[in-house]
Amino acid sequence: MEKKIITISRQFGSGGRTIGREVAEKLGIPFYDKELVDQIALESGFAPKYVEENGEHSPGTSSFSYSFLAGVTPGITTGLSTSDFLWNIQCSVILQLAEKGPCVIVGRNADYILKDREDCLHTFIHADLPFRADRIVRLYGESEKSPETRLHEKDKRRKVNYQHYTGRTWGAAVNYDLTLHSSNLGIEQCADIIVNIVKNSKKEG
Amino acid sequence: MEKKIITISRQFGSGGRTIGREVAEKLGIPFYDKELVDQIALESGFAPKYVEENGEHSPGTSSFSYSFLAGVTPGITTGLSTSDFLWNIQCSVILQLAEKGPCVIVGRNADYILKDREDCLHTFIHADLPFRADRIVRLYGESEKSPETRLHEKDKRRKVNYQHYTGRTWGAAVNYDLTLHSSNLGIEQCADIIVNIVKNSKKEG
């Protein structure tokens, strides 16, 4: 079965986004990361920044927050919590994008949302703590919290969000076709491994 | 860093052993599976069949069993349970084999035992249930239990054993450099991916 859609789940700072971009460039297919956020924002009525910060995080938004947001955000009249409303839009947007054709999708539990499509290659990228700590400081700058605390908090939120909406364990090998240790294997090699699998799947038809 | 030792952890019936054998053949290095059992048997005084059946299973042997075995098995005078005694020998044999030179080691928590060696590539192989069920019936024959029950029981034992002796979660991506879904990617391609990573690591030196 030809693998047309590549989903990339990743630990924060592991280079998953960079790998995804390289894979998309090498295969000449769209790369959905920021574009995905914008589309979800458009369909939900939330600000892109809100979507970016909450789309993969713990479903902790209270009904109070929902009530508050419901007053200012057109379109939220479903009685769902803001988290659940965002999740529904996220599922819908990711399913639509996959229908449009080959692409690389980073994060947002796309591996689960697209689990019934056989033309997907689901991957998970992780790395050592020092590699990730160094990377987030270089890419996103310093902050009041230590890099280790930032990594721990962000991964924990992604984990809780994944568990809540999918019932699966985040980072369990069985959820993915392929998982890669990017600090041991190298960002470039990780991208090449994924590209080769996709190319081989085309030969098989 | 050149990757000289390849450890292959695997779900029962996923083809991990076959992949390991192919990798060893393609790289022209020793493949330790049965040889490992024989060596552990030799050093422990247990029968190979006992080592094979208990070396990766739940640490459920009671002290009564130990007392019984201690009377008939020379060398067990340490006060350890039979499971712990077997684990110690297993660690020692695997560490020695890795010292001897490049090789492929299947199972027996070798990923954990060799976690401090940087010249190792740690892999985990898993597959869909129908693929594994079909495979164990073809390879090991029918039995009174359904293939699904056999798979479930064997994986559970490996999981409990791994958790008990390593404190880690069996099959969590972060424990491995690479995990592969063999029924989606194909046995042959899984072997090729591993071989290529090892060959690339040699180029880097």
Side-chain angles (χ1 to χ4, degrees):
Chain A
M1 165 68 75
E2 185 180 344
K3 301 296 183 189
K4 293 176 181 166
I5 322 283
I6 299 118
T7 70
I8 303 200
S9 307
R10 74 289 179 226
Q11 283 185 329
F12 185 45
S14 67
R17 184 178 294 180
T18 307
I19 291 168
R21 197 181 299 115
E22 278 199 33
V23 167
E25 274 174 22
K26 286 183 177 177
L27 292 173
I29 61 177
F31 172 66
Y32 297 130
D33 178 29
K34 181 74 173 62
E35 299 73 8
L36 194 56
V37 169
D38 290 342
Q39 190 62 29
I40 295 167
L42 187 71
E43 298 206 12
S44 66
F46 289 125
K49 193 168 166 59
Y50 181 85
V51 173
E52 197 161 8
E53 286 176 358
N54 292 275
E56 292 180 292
H57 289 179
S58 322
T61 312
S62 69
S63 53
F64 172 78
S65 306
Y66 163 62
S67 308
F68 170 73
L69 282 163
V72 294
T73 309
I76 311 183
T77 53
T78 55
L80 296 172
S81 72
T82 47
S83 296
D84 290 352
F85 179 73
L86 198 56
W87 169 252
N88 286 352
I89 301 284
Q90 192 166 301
C91 288
S92 158
V93 167
I94 286 173
L95 288 165
Q96 285 169 38
L97 284 178
E99 273 303 307
K100 279 174 69 179
C103 62
V104 175
I105 301 175
V106 173
R108 286 158 205 283
N109 306 344
D111 61 294
Y112 178 80
I113 295 167
L114 299 175
K115 70 184 185 323
D116 296 328
R117 287 187 69 115
E118 290 192 359
D119 59 352
C120 294
L121 183 77
H122 300 302
T123 71
F124 179 81
I125 312 293
H126 61 98
D128 284 342
L129 203 62
F131 175 90
R132 296 163 57 208
D134 175 66
R135 209 175 153 82
I136 64 164
V137 171
R138 277 193 294 115
L139 291 178
Y140 309 111
E142 299 278 357
S143 91
E144 283 179 10
K145 294 175 183 170
S146 74
E148 290 73 17
T149 303
R150 290 159 70 191
L151 289 170
H152 178 71
E153 285 180 358
K154 193 120 177 175
D155 281 345
K156 191 175 173 191
R157 285 185 195 155
R158 286 182 183 169
K159 191 175 174 174
V160 171
N161 178 281
Y162 189 80
Q163 166 78 31
H164 179 81
Y165 285 108
T166 73
R168 293 178 171 181
T169 304
W170 192 64
V174 293
N175 299 339
Y176 312 96
D177 295 307
L178 176 75
T179 77
L180 298 163
H181 191 312
S182 59
S183 49
N184 280 2
L185 299 173
I187 298 276
E188 196 64 41
Q189 183 167 225
C190 289
D192 287 341
I193 291 169
I194 295 171
V195 167
N196 281 337
I197 291 173
V198 174
K199 285 186 176 170
N200 285 339
S201 78
K202 279 185 191 164
K203 287 180 207 157
E204 289 165 15
Chain B
M1 165 67 76
E2 185 180 343
K3 301 296 183 188
K4 292 176 182 166
I5 321 284
I6 299 118
T7 69
I8 302 201
S9 306
R10 74 288 179 224
Q11 283 185 327
F12 185 44
S14 66
R17 184 177 293 180
T18 306
I19 291 168
R21 197 181 298 118
E22 278 199 35
V23 168
E25 274 174 21
K26 286 182 178 178
L27 292 173
I29 60 178
F31 172 66
Y32 297 130
D33 177 30
K34 182 75 174 63
E35 299 73 9
L36 194 58
V37 169
D38 290 344
Q39 190 61 31
I40 295 168
L42 187 71
E43 298 206 9
S44 66
F46 288 123
K49 194 169 167 56
Y50 181 86
V51 173
E52 196 159 9
E53 287 175 359
N54 292 275
E56 292 181 292
H57 288 181
S58 321
T61 312
S62 70
S63 54
F64 172 79
S65 305
Y66 163 62
S67 309
F68 170 73
L69 281 163
V72 294
T73 309
I76 312 184
T77 53
T78 55
L80 296 173
S81 71
T82 48
S83 296
D84 290 351
F85 178 71
L86 198 55
W87 169 252
N88 285 352
I89 300 286
Q90 193 167 299
C91 289
S92 158
V93 167
I94 286 174
L95 288 166
Q96 284 168 39
L97 284 178
E99 273 302 307
K100 279 174 69 179
C103 61
V104 176
I105 302 176
V106 173
R108 286 160 204 283
N109 306 343
D111 60 293
Y112 177 80
I113 295 166
L114 299 175
K115 70 183 184 323
D116 296 328
R117 286 188 70 116
E118 290 192 1
D119 59 353
C120 293
L121 183 77
H122 301 301
T123 71
F124 179 81
I125 312 293
H126 61 98
D128 284 340
L129 203 63
F131 175 91
R132 296 163 58 207
D134 175 67
R135 208 175 153 82
I136 64 164
V137 170
R138 279 193 293 114
L139 290 178
Y140 309 112
E142 299 277 357
S143 91
E144 282 179 13
K145 295 176 184 170
S146 75
E148 289 75 17
T149 303
R150 289 158 70 191
L151 290 171
H152 178 72
E153 285 179 359
K154 194 122 176 175
D155 282 344
K156 192 175 172 189
R157 284 184 195 156
R158 286 181 183 169
K159 191 175 175 173
V160 171
N161 177 281
Y162 188 80
Q163 167 77 30
H164 179 82
Y165 284 108
T166 73
R168 291 177 172 183
T169 303
W170 192 63
V174 294
N175 299 338
Y176 312 95
D177 295 307
L178 175 76
T179 78
L180 297 163
H181 190 312
S182 60
S183 49
N184 280 2
L185 299 173
I187 298 276
E188 195 64 40
Q189 182 168 225
C190 289
D192 287 342
I193 291 170
I194 296 170
V195 167
N196 282 337
I197 291 173
V198 174
K199 284 185 177 170
N200 284 339
S201 78
K202 278 184 192 164
K203 286 179 208 157
E204 290 163 16

